[in-house]
Amino acid sequence: MHVVCVGGSDAGISAALRARELDPSTHVTVVVADAYPNFSVCGIPYYISGEVSEWHRLAHRTRTDLQDAGLQLLLGTRATRIDVDGRELEVVRPDGGTSLISYDELVVATGAQPVRPPITGLDVLGAADGVHLLHSMGDMFILSESLKRLRPRTAMVVGAGYIGLEMAEGLTARGIDVTQVEAASEVLPTVDEKLGSLLHKELEHHGVDVHTGTSVTGIQRRSDGLHVTGQAAGGGPLSWNVELVLVAVGVRPDASLLLQAGVQSGPHGAVIVDDTMATGVPHVWAAGDCVATHHRLLGTTYLPLGTTSHKQGRIAGENVLGGTARFAGSLGTQVVKVFDLVAARTGLHDREAIAAGFDPASTTTFPDDHKAYYPGAHPIAVHVTGDRVTGRLLGAQLVGHRSTQAAKRVDIYATAIFHGMDVASISDLDLAYTPPFGSTWDAVQIASQAWVAQYQS
Amino acid sequence: MHVVCVGGSDAGISAALRARELDPSTHVTVVVADAYPNFSVCGIPYYISGEVSEWHRLAHRTRTDLQDAGLQLLLGTRATRIDVDGRELEVVRPDGGTSLISYDELVVATGAQPVRPPITGLDVLGAADGVHLLHSMGDMFILSESLKRLRPRTAMVVGAGYIGLEMAEGLTARGIDVTQVEAASEVLPTVDEKLGSLLHKELEHHGVDVHTGTSVTGIQRRSDGLHVTGQAAGGGPLSWNVELVLVAVGVRPDASLLLQAGVQSGPHGAVIVDDTMATGVPHVWAAGDCVATHHRLLGTTYLPLGTTSHKQGRIAGENVLGGTARFAGSLGTQVVKVFDLVAARTGLHDREAIAAGFDPASTTTFPDDHKAYYPGAHPIAVHVTGDRVTGRLLGAQLVGHRSTQAAKRVDIYATAIFHGMDVASISDLDLAYTPPFGSTWDAVQIASQAWVAQYQS
């Protein structure tokens, strides 16, 4: 039995490891396009910030760990074509030559690519000019090199999503004056604007110059650096002079290998898989950022996340051996640290809920993370979204100080949504209380009681 | 409509407030034996430690808040008898006289009393001698007074449950050398010994002299302080000289008012109620530490907790007005801070699971709270208990550094147990990840995967 996995990141390695774990007699080959298998790319901002001093530490497992687990790694090797009938994968070796690798089962986890927004100049400028995209370990080294070479005092981060926010913090931590530009009306548009505005203030508090509702339209190289032009919504043209530009406006699936093999595509060009991670093309499975995600409330969507990639990879690795594992679905649970704040969400944003045919209503309350009499209490902004008709909990968002356990309180809501709970029933949960860490009604219950009081009484 | 609530702590006040919230025309009287309605008695250790400098701050709500919410408070008033047929409550007023209060509906929330273990001398010694029990605000003031008067350099805490542990820390914080004696084989016997031993080490690391498997048999007053004698299990007699003794070995229900009214008693002498908090005696409801608790896995048990009291009080307050609220049941979720560690549990300890007829198996693993490359990561000891036959999650216990969000990670398990999840399904949950606060598989999932690997593969 020969299982071939394409992709050295979360999904590909998870599939490979799971197959070996379940049957150590399986021959498992992992085709890795770069030299960095099983790295935690979510850690990149912390290498750039200097909090992680040694890049090797970003590895989930070392190359030796992976080899000891029985994986055969083909590094610097690009998969270029799947011969479905012949069950062969065509690859380009590091030496530039082409090989064919026979497989019994193939797991494709080619991931995603950073989106290149329509900014004039972005197609011709690059790292040599101080213009960067950031997605892979390779991108990280290139950015790190630019930072050392240019020693920029100013930088622009285009985009204020998860990566953009982390990078605004990371560059600030290096002593760089950061300008952050976001096209949406508030930073972190995946959460409610009221909560996003708390992050906005936190960024400004730490010296980041934030421009929301603003598009970057062009980047020009000048003798003294980069000249960036933009446009505020309903306002006039804007311009900035900076020494480095980092574009972080999201990713798109890297699905060409699968599409060429005849796999059907769905939202955003991601490939369609069933809940076993089968593609419909015989003996070809797919997982991670290249596939359309099953969302428990939205159905098929595109929602690339490391947590989902690990789950899907593990499921594919089980099923290539004849297993019956099924992906239970995502809820879009996410969390990001922005300086001293944490922003977390699960389930649906109001606008997603409306688009999905729900009748959402939301409340935002500010319960303390723990009893106010015990030192160190902070309010958490908790935005609870429920369905007006059924009372069902649809989503929750939290923004609070990094000490407020908001990053795991969101998981209480995630577990509740997983089980289709009503907002009112959150009060039935038996949650832990001690004055230094909670209240007799936990913050998640106080927030849900406020929703019930507003919409169900 | 006149609702009378007996008891000024969590359950009584919750019932009173809920009734007023739902129908502001309801006349609500609360009979409070002492002068401290709606105080957070869980905060007492932090007043003793000095972390809470002002005792008024321990109030969940001020007396004015309660009056503004429409509650009529009868402070210093002891309820002595219920005339069920006449729907009258007999009380002793602060002036010593007796009154009868008519009610339409009566909620009895008389709470609990500290257990007095069979220690020779405990019946004759008291605060004047430096011998204390600690349950109420009054007890707190008396202890505080003793600490000021005696300025003890040494103290013994008898018992190493939640309160005993918090008080060992609190007295240590005051610069007192603490000896802690626990009859069970390890501290915090509600968690697995392996986890308890981590707390044991933490206590010792902070200078507490811990004696487990040891009973205190007698206390004598001598000219230079208190002479305490004890007995180690399988060992010889022991003795200590200390200047103050605090006994904290649990509570028993204070149910005499209800028992006299004909309500049936159950485990530990607590009264039996149904899930609406009705006692079976017409127009008499009961809630909080005086009632037997419905446990979702154990059925009827005795498990006094502030969180449960709030839930039950709220339900009683709704149902006295004709509501249909039902107590969904406890899972025994608890958390305690012990110096720099947190210990949390939910569901069943192995021995409870065996007694309840399950076939439990457990694993203890030590996943990091967040990615090790990001500064400040700590392992969490996670003890997962599942049923060998059905795979059902029965319980979880966590001990970790106070920064590890263990206090809310336990709630993920609590929510999972609430819904009857299998251990294996924990991996299906979509939990939040960012390197500073978690891992792509959260610690709770890594621990449950270890259980599955050990018992289901």
Side-chain angles (χ1 to χ4, degrees):
Chain A
M1 178 70 168
H2 185 204
V3 174
V4 175
C5 299
V6 180
S9 195
D10 297 346
I13 297 290
S14 292
L17 289 172
R18 185 62 172 160
R20 286 287 304 183
E21 180 185 17
L22 293 174
D23 182 356
S25 75
T26 310
H27 180 197
V28 178
T29 302
V30 187
V31 177
V32 183
D34 63 17
Y36 310 105
N38 208 206
F39 269 75
S40 174
V41 292
C42 298
I44 288 175
Y46 310 106
Y47 179 74
I48 298 297
S49 72
E51 288 157 293
V52 177
S53 55
E54 172 48 68
W55 66 267
H56 290 100
R57 296 204 66 214
L58 292 181
H60 289 301
R61 295 169 195 80
T62 65
R63 207 178 291 181
T64 309
D65 290 339
L66 297 173
Q67 284 161 348
D68 289 350
L71 309 194
Q72 193 194 343
L73 300 173
L74 301 180
L75 303 185
T77 303
R78 272 190 316 109
T80 45
R81 195 175 55 81
I82 302 168
D83 173 358
V84 172
D85 295 332
R87 288 209 225 173
E88 287 185 322
L89 178 72
E90 182 189 84
V91 300
V92 176
R93 301 187 307 264
D95 64 10
T98 298
S99 296
L100 291 173
I101 302 173
S102 293
Y103 62 80
D104 293 302
E105 302 292 336
L106 180 68
V107 179
V108 178
T110 39
Q113 292 289 339
V115 166
R116 287 179 169 269
I119 297 173
T120 307
L122 187 59
D123 50 339
V124 294
L125 296 170
D129 312 292
V131 177
H132 292 263
L133 286 93
L134 184 59
H135 185 67
S136 65
M137 289 295 291
D139 296 336
M140 178 184 89
F141 292 121
I142 293 167
L143 173 59
S144 182
E145 205 47 56
S146 277
L147 290 168
K148 281 181 198 143
R149 180 172 44 84
L150 298 172
R151 298 195 164 277
R153 288 152 303 170
T154 57
M156 171 172 288
V157 175
V158 182
Y162 292 84
I163 310 300
L165 292 171
E166 288 168 347
M167 288 307 303
E169 177 180 343
L171 294 172
T172 300
R174 290 181 72 112
I176 298 170
D177 287 340
V178 175
T179 299
Q180 184 155 35
V181 180
E182 166 60 47
S185 54
E186 191 45 277
V187 302
L188 198 62
T190 50
V191 304
D192 187 76
E193 281 195 25
K194 198 182 294 179
L195 274 66
S197 73
L198 302 173
L199 302 175
H200 190 136
K201 281 183 204 133
E202 180 74 0
L203 289 161
E204 291 181 338
H205 178 68
H206 288 272
V208 180
D209 182 24
V210 182
H211 297 261
T212 49
T214 302
S215 302
V216 170
T217 51
I219 309 173
Q220 274 187 296
R221 178 152 185 185
R222 292 187 178 172
S223 58
D224 58 345
L226 297 162
H227 182 70
V228 182
T229 52
Q231 178 76 38
L238 295 164
S239 69
W240 302 268
N241 293 311
V242 293
E243 294 166 72
L244 185 131
V245 172
L246 176 69
V247 177
V249 296
V251 298
R252 56 178 179 74
D254 188 352
S256 55
L257 185 69
L258 287 160
L259 297 177
Q260 281 168 13
V263 177
Q264 202 190 330
S265 75
H268 294 247
V271 301
I272 298 290
V273 289
D274 67 16
D275 62 0
T276 69
M277 309 317 293
T279 62
V281 169
H283 308 290
V284 178
W285 312 75
D289 291 357
C290 61
V291 310
T293 312
H294 170 61
H295 189 292
R296 289 178 74 87
L297 297 173
L298 296 177
T300 302
T301 184
Y302 183 60
L303 193 45
L305 285 170
T307 46
T308 299
S309 293
H310 273 83
K311 287 185 177 71
Q312 293 181 337
R314 191 170 195 255
I315 287 162
E318 193 156 336
N319 292 341
V320 292
L321 301 184
T324 57
R326 287 169 183 277
F327 178 55
S330 171
L331 290 170
T333 310
Q334 290 176 278
V335 59
V336 61
K337 186 180 93 64
V338 182
F339 294 101
D340 291 328
L341 291 185
V342 178
R345 60 156 282 173
T346 186
L348 304 184
H349 189 286
D350 296 63
R351 70 170 169 268
E352 292 173 303
I354 292 166
F358 293 101
D359 184 7
S362 295
T363 50
T364 304
T365 46
F366 298 86
D368 284 333
D369 72 305
H370 66 254
K371 292 303 293 181
Y373 60 73
Y374 189 86
H378 293 280
I380 311 174
V382 186
H383 183 83
V384 170
T385 303
D387 188 87
R388 231 183 268 265
V389 179
T390 63
R392 186 176 173 188
L393 177 65
L394 298 175
Q397 304 167 9
L398 302 90
V399 172
H401 186 270
R402 56 182 297 178
S403 66
T404 59
Q405 305 190 84
K408 291 296 125 186
R409 279 191 161 99
V410 75
D411 290 345
I412 305 171
Y413 286 121
T415 307
I417 297 173
F418 185 94
H419 289 285
M421 285 186 90
D422 292 338
V423 180
S425 305
I426 299 296
S427 292
D428 289 338
L429 294 173
D430 186 12
L431 306 179
Y433 163 56
T434 185
F437 297 113
S439 303
T440 39
W441 292 108
D442 190 77
V444 304
Q445 295 175 313
I446 293 169
S448 58
Q449 287 169 6
W451 190 94
V452 171
Q454 187 165 349
Y455 299 109
Q456 296 191 313
S457 58
Chain B
M1 178 72 169
H2 186 205
V3 174
V4 175
C5 300
V6 180
S9 195
D10 297 344
I13 298 289
S14 292
L17 289 171
R18 185 62 173 159
R20 286 288 303 184
E21 180 185 17
L22 293 175
D23 182 356
S25 76
T26 310
H27 181 197
V28 178
T29 302
V30 187
V31 176
V32 183
D34 63 17
Y36 311 103
N38 208 206
F39 270 74
S40 175
V41 293
C42 298
I44 289 175
Y46 309 107
Y47 178 74
I48 298 297
S49 71
E51 287 157 293
V52 178
S53 55
E54 172 48 69
W55 66 266
H56 289 101
R57 297 204 64 215
L58 292 181
H60 289 301
R61 295 170 195 79
T62 66
R63 207 178 292 181
T64 309
D65 290 338
L66 297 172
Q67 284 161 348
D68 289 351
L71 309 194
Q72 193 193 344
L73 301 173
L74 301 180
L75 303 185
T77 303
R78 272 190 315 109
T80 45
R81 195 175 54 81
I82 302 168
D83 174 358
V84 172
D85 296 332
R87 290 210 223 173
E88 287 186 323
L89 178 72
E90 183 189 84
V91 301
V92 176
R93 300 188 308 265
D95 65 8
T98 298
S99 297
L100 292 173
I101 303 172
S102 294
Y103 62 80
D104 293 303
E105 302 292 336
L106 180 69
V107 179
V108 179
T110 38
Q113 292 289 339
V115 166
R116 287 179 169 271
I119 297 173
T120 306
L122 188 58
D123 49 340
V124 294
L125 296 170
D129 312 290
V131 177
H132 291 263
L133 286 92
L134 184 59
H135 184 66
S136 65
M137 288 297 290
D139 296 336
M140 179 184 88
F141 292 122
I142 293 168
L143 174 60
S144 182
E145 204 46 57
S146 276
L147 290 167
K148 281 180 198 143
R149 179 171 45 83
L150 297 172
R151 298 195 165 276
R153 289 152 302 170
T154 57
M156 172 172 287
V157 176
V158 181
Y162 292 85
I163 311 300
L165 291 172
E166 288 168 347
M167 288 307 303
E169 176 180 344
L171 294 172
T172 301
R174 289 181 74 111
I176 298 169
D177 287 340
V178 175
T179 299
Q180 185 154 36
V181 179
E182 166 60 48
S185 54
E186 190 46 276
V187 302
L188 198 61
T190 50
V191 304
D192 187 75
E193 281 195 24
K194 198 184 292 180
L195 274 67
S197 72
L198 301 174
L199 303 175
H200 191 137
K201 280 183 206 132
E202 180 73 0
L203 290 161
E204 290 181 337
H205 177 69
H206 289 272
V208 180
D209 181 24
V210 182
H211 297 262
T212 49
T214 302
S215 301
V216 170
T217 51
I219 310 174
Q220 273 186 298
R221 178 153 184 184
R222 291 189 179 172
S223 59
D224 57 346
L226 297 162
H227 183 71
V228 183
T229 51
Q231 179 74 38
L238 294 162
S239 69
W240 303 269
N241 293 311
V242 294
E243 293 166 73
L244 186 131
V245 172
L246 176 68
V247 177
V249 297
V251 298
R252 56 179 179 75
D254 188 352
S256 56
L257 186 69
L258 287 160
L259 297 176
Q260 281 168 13
V263 177
Q264 201 191 330
S265 76
H268 293 246
V271 300
I272 298 291
V273 289
D274 66 17
D275 60 1
T276 70
M277 309 318 292
T279 62
V281 170
H283 308 289
V284 178
W285 312 75
D289 290 359
C290 62
V291 310
T293 312
H294 170 61
H295 188 294
R296 290 177 73 87
L297 297 173
L298 295 177
T300 302
T301 184
Y302 184 60
L303 193 45
L305 285 169
T307 45
T308 299
S309 293
H310 273 83
K311 287 185 176 72
Q312 293 181 338
R314 191 170 194 255
I315 287 162
E318 193 157 334
N319 292 340
V320 291
L321 301 184
T324 57
R326 287 171 182 277
F327 178 56
S330 170
L331 289 169
T333 311
Q334 290 177 278
V335 59
V336 62
K337 187 179 92 64
V338 182
F339 294 101
D340 291 328
L341 291 185
V342 178
R345 60 155 281 173
T346 187
L348 305 184
H349 188 288
D350 295 62
R351 70 171 169 266
E352 292 173 304
I354 292 166
F358 293 102
D359 184 7
S362 295
T363 49
T364 305
T365 46
F366 299 86
D368 284 333
D369 72 305
H370 65 254
K371 293 302 294 180
Y373 59 72
Y374 188 85
H378 293 280
I380 310 173
V382 187
H383 183 83
V384 170
T385 303
D387 187 88
R388 233 183 266 264
V389 180
T390 63
R392 186 175 172 189
L393 177 64
L394 297 175
Q397 304 168 9
L398 302 89
V399 172
H401 186 270
R402 55 182 297 177
S403 66
T404 59
Q405 305 190 83
K408 291 296 125 186
R409 279 191 161 100
V410 75
D411 290 345
I412 306 171
Y413 286 121
T415 306
I417 296 173
F418 185 93
H419 289 285
M421 286 186 89
D422 291 339
V423 180
S425 305
I426 299 295
S427 292
D428 290 337
L429 294 173
D430 186 11
L431 306 180
Y433 163 56
T434 184
F437 296 114
S439 303
T440 40
W441 293 108
D442 190 77
V444 306
Q445 295 175 312
I446 293 169
S448 59
Q449 287 169 6
W451 190 94
V452 171
Q454 188 165 348
Y455 298 109
Q456 296 191 312
S457 58

